[in-house]
Amino acid sequence: MAVIAPSILSADFMNLGEEVRRMEKVGAQILHVDVMDGNFVPNLTIGVPVVEKLSQWTELSLDVHLMIANPEQTVDLYIDAGANYLSVHFETVLHLDRLLDRIRERGVQPGVVLNPHTPVSALEEVLPKCHHVLLMSVNPGFGGQQFISSSFQKVRKLKSLIDSQDLSVKIEIDGGIGLGNVREAVESGVDIVVAGSAIFGSEDPEEAFLQMEKNASIN
Ligand code: DX5
Ligand code: ZN
């Protein structure tokens, strides 16, 4: 069954602790945390101290999405801060094979993120070292953007690549997912669905989470 991972990017940062509690109460398991540096992406969000506080505050798994240049320099800080899943962009790493090993050796689930323009074939060699692959279905940097319609086709290509290597790497999708397309995401092969504005941007985030889960379930 696919898991919905609320993205705190669209949460009320002035009440972040309470926003996280709301997601715990409705049974979320994973919290998606967007780290942006104002360099790799134009936007600037949160960093190590907030990840550290979140890991002390909640039992939810922290899925840290690093949208930063030179992540080799800082992954250890995010691991020390309590990240459970740590995803680095393919476009930002020179020695990806070595970095994935390092993350895994430190007991954290490593993942690679692909921008919309990066083909899944770029992952052929490193796929066995990934716990998950995160496909961006918008250009990274902002919440609330429009879903790029070719993204489900990309999910299917990635699923074929994973199957062809007899692996069980999880597929995550991020950007523009809501009630209307979550089911198609899951039917394409997505295991982890990130949703920011569809949950925290709604009138009732708890209800929105539950409805996303319902729409995602394939019987
Ligand atoms: C965008 C971030 C996403 C963002 C998604 O760069 O990586 O995690 O929160 O937001 P929505 O779900 O609103 O598209
Ligand atoms: Zn993200």
Side-chain angles (χ1 to χ4, degrees):
M1 203 183 97
V3 174
I4 308 295
S7 167
I8 59 167
L9 184 63
S10 294
D12 176 2
F13 277 3
M14 297 308 285
N15 292 293
L16 189 53
E18 286 316 306
E19 296 275 71
V20 174
R21 286 282 178 267
R22 297 168 94 167
M23 292 301 109
E24 288 175 345
K25 277 187 203 136
V26 287
Q29 300 161 37
I30 299 176
L31 203 62
H32 185 81
V33 180
D34 288 307
V35 175
M36 304 184 190
D37 67 350
N39 181 10
F40 174 61
V41 291
N43 206 356
L44 186 64
T45 54
I46 56 169
V48 174
V50 176
V51 173
E52 192 172 11
K53 286 291 176 193
L54 281 169
S55 79
Q56 292 163 4
W57 176 255
T58 182
E59 294 294 311
L60 297 184
S61 293
L62 298 183
D63 172 30
V64 177
H65 174 191
L66 294 181
M67 283 163 274
I68 61 175
N70 300 317
E72 287 108 320
Q73 287 176 3
T74 44
V75 288
D76 287 300
L77 297 177
Y78 288 97
I79 293 169
D80 292 341
N84 301 100
Y85 300 169
L86 193 53
S87 311
V88 294
H89 269 259
F90 177 86
E91 302 83 9
T92 61
V93 184
L94 209 49
H95 299 288
L96 187 56
D97 180 271
R98 182 167 63 200
L99 186 61
L100 293 171
D101 279 343
R102 190 158 113 226
I103 295 170
R104 195 178 284 273
E105 278 161 18
R106 293 219 46 208
V108 171
Q109 304 287 21
V112 178
V113 194
L114 300 185
N115 268 344
H117 72 270
T118 306
V120 297
S121 56
L123 292 172
E124 198 171 338
E125 306 303 330
V126 292
L127 206 52
K129 300 203 168 181
C130 297
H131 166 265
H132 58 280
V133 171
L134 172 49
L135 296 183
M136 289 309 302
S137 39
V138 296
N139 285 289
F142 300 95
Q145 299 183 81
Q146 197 181 352
F147 178 78
I148 294 172
S149 61
S150 56
S151 305
F152 292 142
Q153 181 57 25
K154 197 169 174 183
V155 170
R156 286 188 210 96
K157 276 190 197 161
L158 175 58
K159 181 85 181 131
S160 301
L161 187 63
I162 292 168
D163 290 347
S164 73
Q165 296 191 23
D166 211 13
L167 297 169
S168 56
V169 178
K170 292 193 183 307
I171 301 178
E172 184 172 8
I173 198 162
D174 185 6
I177 305 287
L179 290 175
N181 59 2
V182 63
R183 187 168 187 119
E184 196 178 346
V186 177
E187 283 170 351
S188 312
V190 171
D191 303 292
I192 304 167
V193 178
V194 176
S197 52
I199 293 178
F200 290 111
S202 84
E203 290 274 297
D204 184 343
E206 286 101 325
E207 182 55 33
F209 174 86
L210 293 170
Q211 197 61 49
M212 285 286 285
E213 266 196 334
K214 196 171 163 209
N215 287 18
S217 66
I218 301 171
N219 297 310

